[in-house]
Amino acid sequence: MKAKIAVLISGAGTNMAALVYASRMPECPFEVVLVTGDRPNATGLDLAEAEGVPVVRIPRPTPKDKSQFFAALELVIDQSGADYIVLAGFMRILPEEFVARWEGRILNIHPSLLPKYPGLDTHSRAIEAGDSHAGCTVHVVTAALDEGPILGQLAVAIATGETPETLAARVKLAEHQLYPRAVADYVSRWRDPAALLARVRALALALPETDERESHGSPGFRVGGDKTGKYFAYFADQHHGTPHIALLVRTGSMDELLALVEDQPEVYFKPAYYGASGWVGIILNRPGVDWDAVAAWLERSWRGAAPKRLTRLMDVADEF
Ligand code: GRF
């Protein structure tokens, strides 16, 4: 399954184009489901349209109706089904609540080696400072401008006689290499079995008296000590012909298991062998996994397997 990205632009959209072409290379983990922005006449929108990418032209915001613009923007992004928002020369600052709702799912590219030169005119500032290199940075967008966690950078040498224009043109070449790669890596994080296992392991082993033991080649998590311990979870990496990397946990009954699978087939499946005894598979290799829900499943399954003395302790703790 590919991650769906919405690309927001204000101008030429050359980074947007780089993302669209990268998305058409074999095995690219993302697809561009929407190109939009704050300038309905941006040339980049015409290009996206010519390339057959869905485009929405939202009326240009005026100082008076800014909030209306951002509401419209978020609506079209929601309707596109995008998992991520990728800013590519989008010249507006997103409202704080907007960023909060999309926490960790908005990326930006900035034409400098951050933390140097946030904001505008980065190239002339780098030249004037006598820097040997300029460059570009891809980062996660947080409420503070140009300050989120850095995902990747590429340095570009500043040649003698360089002008802001010649430098900008070469930094863009670098941007076009960096951005698609950084987006691909970011949206693929949760396809990586090692990263998924690490996350599951941290949650499972945070529960009382747990240990990890391999079972039929899979990492399994048990509660209750070395001799009498019982399994409450397994990590299954594409077992028995499924494409899923999954966490297997115990449900209350076969009826519950079947209802889960029927209602949310994108989240749950009935695993081979374990399914017959009421274990459900929670699919982890998809964008937007709700890790709080995963933690809740682990706790519930742990409760089903833990000795009374431990669940009683947990109940007491829960009352506080
Ligand atoms: C790029 O230099 C990008 O780093 C900055 O805005 C510019 C957008 O250019 N945020 P384009 O529209 O992708 O050509």
Side-chain angles (χ1 to χ4, degrees):
M1 196 206 307
K2 289 185 189 261
K4 297 181 169 65
I5 68 168
V7 183
L8 270 49
I9 64 168
S10 298
T14 64
N15 277 288
M16 175 278 297
L19 289 161
V20 167
Y21 298 130
S23 77
R24 292 177 177 169
M25 300 283 282
E27 294 180 28
C28 180
F30 63 81
E31 60 182 316
V32 181
V33 294
L34 172 70
V35 178
T36 188
D38 60 336
R39 289 171 184 245
N41 299 323
T43 50
L45 295 182
D46 300 338
L47 171 61
E49 222 160 52
E51 288 294 355
V53 179
V55 166
V56 177
R57 296 177 192 265
I58 305 171
R60 200 171 170 162
T62 60
K64 263 197 273 161
D65 73 355
K66 259 199 203 157
S67 59
Q68 237 176 310
F69 166 76
F70 285 111
L73 179 65
E74 203 169 357
L75 186 69
V76 301
I77 294 171
D78 279 338
Q79 285 171 344
S80 75
D83 306 302
Y84 296 89
I85 299 174
V86 176
L87 308 181
F90 181 66
M91 299 303 284
R92 301 259 166 191
I93 296 174
L94 295 169
E96 233 170 84
E97 323 79 64
F98 189 122
V99 174
R101 277 192 293 278
W102 286 82
E103 195 194 332
R105 295 190 294 144
I106 310 178
L107 304 186
N108 184 38
I109 188 155
H110 182 77
S112 81
L113 295 172
L114 289 173
K116 273 191 163 180
Y117 316 125
L120 298 175
D121 300 324
T122 58
H123 304 304
S124 49
R125 284 150 76 198
I127 294 171
E128 272 159 35
D131 292 356
S132 67
H133 287 79
C136 49
T137 303
V138 174
H139 65 96
V140 181
V141 172
T142 56
L145 184 67
D146 296 336
E147 274 190 13
I150 290 177
L151 301 177
Q153 290 187 309
L154 238 139
V156 171
I158 299 182
T160 26
E162 195 94 75
T163 66
E165 290 70 35
T166 58
L167 182 56
R170 240 172 36 265
V171 168
K172 276 224 184 158
L173 290 179
E175 289 184 33
H176 299 163
Q177 302 300 313
L178 177 67
Y179 214 2
R181 172 68 76 90
V183 172
D185 287 352
Y186 193 69
V187 304
S188 306
R189 282 166 313 161
W190 302 120
R191 296 175 152 202
D192 171 11
L196 290 169
L197 173 59
R199 197 142 184 190
V200 164
R201 177 180 286 139
L203 292 172
L205 297 182
L207 293 161
E209 275 192 41
T210 48
D211 60 45
E212 180 174 341
R213 190 176 290 188
E214 205 176 272
S215 164
H216 302 282
S218 293
F221 298 93
R222 308 181 330 145
V223 54
D226 197 32
K227 294 226 171 63
T228 55
K230 276 171 84 176
Y231 284 98
F232 66 95
Y234 299 95
F235 180 83
D237 183 2
Q238 307 186 45
H239 276 184
H240 308 293
T242 80
H244 310 312
I245 301 176
L247 172 68
L248 310 190
V249 286
R250 220 186 275 267
T251 63
S253 66
M254 186 56 72
D255 282 349
E256 186 190 2
L257 162 58
L258 295 177
L260 286 167
V261 174
E262 195 178 315
D263 293 348
Q264 287 171 269
E266 69 289 355
V267 179
Y268 299 106
F269 69 103
K270 184 179 171 197
Y273 306 107
Y274 292 92
S277 14
W279 289 67
V280 70
I282 305 171
I283 302 166
L284 301 174
N285 54 335
R286 64 194 161 90
V289 169
D290 178 349
W291 284 93
D292 292 337
V294 171
W297 269 113
L298 279 167
E299 184 180 331
R300 184 178 153 193
S301 198
W302 175 93
R303 275 177 182 278
K308 274 250 153 49
R309 67 182 164 83
L310 285 179
T311 52
R312 254 188 250 122
L313 277 180
M314 198 76 154
D315 292 338
V316 174
D318 281 350
E319 275 172 34
F320 286 96

XYZ file of all heavy atoms in Angstrom, residues 259-316:
465
model
N -16.173 -9.833 13.987
C -16.774 -8.493 13.846
C -15.681 -7.454 13.557
O -15.856 -6.574 12.707
C -17.539 -8.124 15.118
N -14.563 -7.573 14.243
C -13.457 -6.625 14.020
C -12.986 -6.687 12.564
O -12.792 -5.668 11.906
C -12.278 -6.953 14.944
C -12.433 -6.602 16.419
C -11.332 -7.270 17.246
C -12.406 -5.086 16.615
N -12.809 -7.908 12.099
C -12.279 -8.100 10.743
C -13.286 -7.590 9.706
O -12.915 -6.985 8.700
C -11.940 -9.590 10.510
C -11.532 -9.831 9.071
C -10.842 -10.036 11.470
N -14.567 -7.814 9.995
C -15.577 -7.369 9.045
C -15.696 -5.842 9.021
O -15.774 -5.232 7.960
C -16.929 -7.980 9.407
C -17.914 -7.848 8.243
C -19.246 -8.483 8.563
O -19.246 -9.618 9.095
O -20.269 -7.826 8.306
N -15.658 -5.229 10.214
C -15.844 -3.770 10.290
C -14.632 -2.987 9.815
O -14.761 -1.918 9.244
C -16.154 -3.326 11.730
C -17.505 -3.841 12.182
O -18.255 -4.325 11.317
O -17.793 -3.785 13.392
N -13.438 -3.478 10.122
C -12.227 -2.717 9.788
C -11.170 -3.616 9.159
O -10.111 -3.856 9.741
C -11.647 -2.072 11.060
C -12.462 -0.892 11.566
C -11.959 -0.463 12.925
O -12.443 -0.936 13.947
N -10.979 0.418 12.966
N -11.473 -4.061 7.937
C -10.526 -4.996 7.300
C -9.165 -4.358 7.010
O -8.195 -5.065 6.785
C -11.224 -5.393 5.997
C -12.254 -4.345 5.764
C -12.633 -3.771 7.094
N -9.107 -3.020 7.036
C -7.799 -2.380 6.802
C -6.941 -2.422 8.066
O -5.739 -2.189 8.013
C -7.968 -0.951 6.266
C -8.532 0.098 7.215
C -10.034 -0.067 7.551
O -10.698 -0.969 6.973
O -10.532 0.691 8.405
N -7.571 -2.722 9.200
C -6.832 -2.742 10.469
C -6.640 -4.182 11.001
O -5.568 -4.527 11.479
C -7.572 -1.910 11.547
C -6.824 -1.956 12.879
C -7.752 -0.469 11.090
N -7.697 -4.984 10.900
C -7.668 -6.308 11.535
C -7.756 -7.439 10.510
O -8.408 -7.291 9.471
C -8.863 -6.449 12.486
C -8.869 -5.444 13.616
C -9.756 -4.366 13.606
C -7.992 -5.575 14.688
C -9.767 -3.435 14.643
C -7.998 -4.657 15.729
C -8.888 -3.585 15.701
O -8.889 -2.679 16.716
N -7.153 -8.560 10.818
C -7.351 -9.764 10.007
C -7.309 -10.984 10.922
O -6.836 -10.907 12.064
C -6.304 -9.869 8.892
C -4.908 -10.158 9.383
C -4.363 -11.439 9.287
C -4.141 -9.153 9.960
C -3.073 -11.709 9.756
C -2.855 -9.415 10.428
C -2.321 -10.683 10.322
N -7.825 -12.087 10.378
C -7.814 -13.336 11.151
C -6.556 -14.105 10.760
O -6.442 -14.565 9.625
C -9.076 -14.143 10.830
C -9.205 -15.399 11.639
C -10.484 -16.157 11.301
C -10.457 -17.511 11.989
N -11.413 -18.449 11.433
N -5.607 -14.224 11.668
C -4.345 -14.866 11.291
C -4.473 -16.383 11.167
O -5.341 -16.989 11.799
C -3.412 -14.497 12.456
C -4.297 -14.197 13.613
C -5.632 -13.758 13.062
N -3.583 -16.962 10.378
C -3.555 -18.418 10.261
C -3.273 -19.019 11.640
O -2.576 -18.402 12.458
C -2.458 -18.830 9.275
N -3.795 -20.208 11.891
C -3.604 -20.966 13.150
C -4.120 -20.226 14.387
O -5.076 -20.656 15.016
C -2.129 -21.369 13.359
C -1.588 -22.109 12.157
C -0.693 -21.497 11.286
C -2.033 -23.407 11.862
C -0.230 -22.158 10.152
C -1.565 -24.072 10.729
C -0.671 -23.444 9.894
O -0.235 -24.080 8.787
N -3.525 -19.084 14.726
C -3.911 -18.365 15.950
C -5.363 -17.887 15.871
O -6.077 -17.854 16.868
C -2.994 -17.165 16.185
C -1.586 -17.580 16.524
C -0.630 -17.717 15.526
C -1.234 -17.861 17.839
C 0.662 -18.113 15.831
C 0.057 -18.257 18.152
C 1.003 -18.387 17.139
O 2.273 -18.779 17.447
N -5.787 -17.517 14.662
C -7.159 -17.035 14.475
C -8.177 -18.042 14.975
O -9.206 -17.676 15.548
N -7.876 -19.320 14.797
C -8.807 -20.372 15.205
C -9.050 -20.335 16.716
O -10.090 -20.778 17.199
C -8.259 -21.739 14.793
N -8.094 -19.824 17.482
C -8.342 -19.716 18.928
C -8.637 -18.282 19.350
O -8.375 -17.893 20.487
C -7.196 -20.322 19.739
O -6.063 -20.540 18.976
N -9.152 -17.474 18.428
C -9.653 -16.154 18.811
C -8.602 -15.057 18.862
O -8.855 -13.981 19.386
N -7.417 -15.314 18.295
C -6.419 -14.248 18.253
C -6.662 -13.403 17.002
O -6.994 -13.940 15.943
C -4.997 -14.812 18.207
C -4.545 -15.442 19.483
C -5.053 -16.591 20.046
C -3.516 -14.975 20.349
N -4.397 -16.865 21.221
C -3.436 -15.888 21.432
C -2.636 -13.898 20.326
C -2.528 -15.740 22.472
C -1.720 -13.755 21.357
C -1.670 -14.667 22.426
N -6.496 -12.109 17.146
C -6.692 -11.224 16.003
C -5.332 -10.655 15.589
O -4.431 -10.482 16.427
C -7.677 -10.076 16.350
C -7.088 -9.065 17.319
C -8.165 -9.360 15.091
N -5.185 -10.370 14.295
C -3.978 -9.697 13.805
C -4.275 -8.218 13.627
O -5.288 -7.857 13.024
N -3.420 -7.372 14.197
C -3.543 -5.919 13.991
C -2.459 -5.520 13.000
O -1.264 -5.719 13.267
C -3.350 -5.149 15.322
C -4.328 -5.654 16.374
C -3.510 -3.650 15.100
C -4.049 -5.095 17.772
N -2.879 -4.975 11.870
C -1.917 -4.673 10.803
C -1.114 -3.421 11.176
O -1.685 -2.369 11.466
C -2.659 -4.461 9.464
C -3.473 -5.721 9.121
C -1.667 -4.124 8.353
C -4.493 -5.521 8.015
N 0.196 -3.568 11.181
C 1.058 -2.449 11.601
C 1.746 -1.757 10.421
O 2.156 -0.600 10.545
C 2.134 -2.949 12.566
C 1.634 -3.617 13.850
C 2.811 -4.184 14.633
C 0.848 -2.626 14.707
N 1.882 -2.451 9.319
C 2.594 -1.832 8.191
C 1.617 -1.081 7.285
O 1.328 -1.465 6.162
C 3.405 -2.861 7.395
C 2.595 -4.044 6.909
O 1.559 -4.381 7.488
N 3.035 -4.671 5.856
N 1.088 -0.009 7.850
C 0.214 0.909 7.127
C 0.407 2.282 7.742
O 0.753 2.388 8.927
C -1.252 0.481 7.223
C -1.764 0.529 8.630
C -3.075 -0.204 8.806
N -3.237 -0.491 10.202
C -3.836 0.312 11.073
N -4.380 1.436 10.672
N -3.906 -0.021 12.339
N 0.183 3.332 6.934
C 0.337 4.656 7.519
C -0.763 4.914 8.551
O -1.877 4.387 8.417
C 0.170 5.603 6.332
C 0.005 4.772 5.117
C -0.199 3.351 5.514
N -0.467 5.675 9.561
C -1.504 6.129 10.485
C -1.946 5.113 11.518
O -3.094 5.147 11.964
N -1.064 4.191 11.905
C -1.421 3.240 12.965
C -1.690 4.023 14.264
O -0.948 4.932 14.609
C -0.250 2.253 13.206
C -0.485 1.426 14.466
C -0.066 1.350 12.002
N -2.772 3.638 14.954
C -3.095 4.277 16.230
C -2.368 3.499 17.336
O -2.840 2.456 17.794
C -4.618 4.236 16.422
C -5.041 4.840 17.759
O -4.158 5.091 18.605
O -6.249 5.039 17.942
N -1.234 4.024 17.769
C -0.400 3.273 18.709
C -0.995 3.247 20.108
O -0.678 2.341 20.904
C 1.038 3.798 18.695
C 1.732 3.316 17.462
C 1.827 3.979 16.262
C 2.350 2.034 17.262
N 2.491 3.187 15.343
C 2.813 1.999 15.933
C 2.554 0.928 18.078
C 3.476 0.887 15.404
C 3.219 -0.184 17.546
C 3.666 -0.191 16.221
N -1.871 4.203 20.424
C -2.569 4.120 21.711
C -3.490 2.905 21.711
O -3.625 2.204 22.713
C -3.387 5.394 21.976
C -2.490 6.592 22.216
O -1.324 6.375 22.602
O -2.937 7.726 21.999
N -4.135 2.689 20.568
C -5.019 1.528 20.465
C -4.205 0.231 20.545
O -4.633 -0.741 21.179
C -5.818 1.579 19.155
N -3.035 0.224 19.929
C -2.165 -0.959 20.006
C -1.787 -1.235 21.468
O -1.845 -2.368 21.941
C -0.901 -0.765 19.133
C 0.111 -1.883 19.373
C -1.276 -0.688 17.657
N -1.428 -0.162 22.183
C -1.055 -0.317 23.595
C -2.235 -0.860 24.400
O -2.067 -1.724 25.276
C -0.587 1.024 24.159
N -3.439 -0.369 24.086
C -4.630 -0.827 24.807
C -4.883 -2.316 24.526
O -5.237 -3.083 25.437
C -5.844 0.011 24.406
N -4.688 -2.731 23.291
C -4.846 -4.156 22.949
C -3.830 -5.012 23.708
O -4.153 -6.087 24.208
C -4.666 -4.377 21.446
C -5.935 -4.301 20.674
C -6.289 -3.355 19.761
C -7.029 -5.234 20.725
N -7.530 -3.624 19.241
C -8.004 -4.775 19.820
C -7.281 -6.403 21.453
C -9.210 -5.444 19.613
C -8.493 -7.074 21.247
C -9.441 -6.589 20.340
N -2.607 -4.524 23.765
C -1.575 -5.289 24.468
C -1.953 -5.456 25.938
O -1.831 -6.546 26.501
C -0.221 -4.581 24.351
C 0.535 -4.808 23.051
C 1.685 -3.822 22.923
C 1.052 -6.247 22.962
N -2.435 -4.374 26.536
C -2.786 -4.450 27.957
C -3.938 -5.424 28.169
O -3.938 -6.243 29.090
C -3.142 -3.071 28.512
C -3.417 -3.168 30.013
C -3.780 -1.853 30.669
O -3.324 -0.799 30.184
O -4.543 -1.894 31.654
N -4.906 -5.351 27.281
C -6.065 -6.227 27.420
C -5.648 -7.696 27.276
O -6.069 -8.563 28.048
C -7.082 -5.846 26.344
C -8.343 -6.621 26.469
C -9.363 -6.200 25.444
N -10.221 -7.344 25.204
C -11.062 -7.445 24.218
N -11.198 -6.446 23.356
N -11.791 -8.523 24.066
N -4.809 -7.953 26.298
C -4.365 -9.318 26.062
C -3.496 -9.810 27.234
O -3.577 -10.968 27.654
C -3.589 -9.373 24.748
O -3.498 -10.680 24.264
N -2.688 -8.886 27.740
C -1.850 -9.183 28.919
C -2.748 -9.589 30.094
O -2.488 -10.579 30.783
C -1.027 -7.936 29.250
C -0.195 -8.008 30.492
C 1.104 -8.395 30.577
C -0.604 -7.671 31.832
N 1.535 -8.326 31.875
C 0.508 -7.890 32.670
C -1.795 -7.216 32.399
C 0.465 -7.661 34.046
C -1.846 -6.995 33.766
C -0.722 -7.209 34.571
N -3.829 -8.816 30.298
C -4.770 -9.116 31.388
C -5.358 -10.509 31.250
O -5.578 -11.210 32.233
C -5.935 -8.135 31.385
C -5.654 -6.863 32.114
C -6.838 -5.926 31.982
N -6.569 -4.668 32.642
C -6.707 -4.468 33.958
N -7.168 -5.421 34.741
N -6.400 -3.308 34.482
N -5.632 -10.900 29.998
C -6.218 -12.222 29.753
C -5.260 -13.356 30.105
O -5.684 -14.475 30.363
N -3.968 -13.065 30.076
C -2.979 -14.124 30.296
C -2.305 -14.030 31.660
O -1.719 -15.001 32.139
C -1.911 -14.051 29.196
N -2.392 -12.869 32.308
C -1.639 -12.650 33.549
C -2.292 -13.372 34.726
O -3.514 -13.509 34.774
C -1.567 -11.156 33.842
N -1.488 -13.829 35.680
C -2.067 -14.410 36.898
C -2.845 -13.343 37.682
O -2.541 -12.155 37.568
C -0.843 -14.891 37.692
C 0.341 -14.239 37.061
C -0.025 -13.841 35.677
N -3.816 -13.825 38.469
C -4.711 -12.913 39.221
C -3.956 -11.895 40.053
O -4.325 -10.724 40.114
C -5.612 -13.738 40.169
C -6.858 -14.253 39.517
C -8.110 -13.537 40.055
C -9.263 -13.506 39.065
N -9.576 -14.816 38.469
N -2.884 -12.362 40.696
C -2.169 -11.449 41.607
C -1.686 -10.206 40.851
O -1.636 -9.113 41.395
C -1.016 -12.159 42.311
C 0.098 -12.557 41.392
C 1.241 -13.310 42.065
N 2.041 -13.952 41.037
C 2.995 -13.337 40.353
N 3.300 -12.093 40.609
N 3.641 -13.966 39.391
N -1.357 -10.363 39.562
C -0.875 -9.214 38.786
C -2.021 -8.334 38.304
O -1.934 -7.108 38.334
C -0.077 -9.686 37.568
C 1.327 -10.208 37.845
C 1.969 -10.662 36.542
C 2.185 -9.134 38.488
N -3.098 -8.961 37.851
C -4.218 -8.140 37.355
C -4.831 -7.367 38.517
O -5.252 -6.236 38.343
C -5.297 -8.986 36.647
O -5.679 -10.048 37.505
C -4.800 -9.535 35.338
N -4.836 -7.989 39.710
C -5.369 -7.270 40.885
C -4.534 -6.020 41.155
O -5.068 -4.951 41.380
C -5.381 -8.188 42.116
C -6.807 -8.635 42.451
C -6.844 -9.382 43.762
N -7.126 -10.785 43.531
C -6.355 -11.809 43.891
N -5.195 -11.580 44.499
N -6.713 -13.035 43.649
N -3.232 -6.191 41.074
C -2.333 -5.034 41.272
C -2.628 -3.938 40.253
O -2.669 -2.757 40.565
C -0.871 -5.457 41.085
C -0.168 -6.080 42.261
C 1.269 -6.417 41.873
C -0.155 -5.089 43.435
N -2.850 -4.365 39.021
C -3.119 -3.419 37.931
C -4.431 -2.686 38.205
O -4.528 -1.476 38.003
C -3.229 -4.221 36.629
C -3.075 -3.414 35.405
S -1.338 -2.994 35.118
C -1.391 -2.798 33.357
N -5.450 -3.438 38.684
C -6.737 -2.815 38.991
C -6.584 -1.750 40.075
O -7.150 -0.663 39.979
C -7.768 -3.854 39.463
C -8.143 -4.792 38.327
O -7.954 -4.382 37.157
O -8.595 -5.918 38.602
N -5.790 -2.072 41.080
C -5.570 -1.120 42.161
C -4.898 0.116 41.593
O -5.319 1.258 41.836
C -4.717 -1.752 43.280
C -4.364 -0.693 44.328
C -5.456 -2.909 43.932
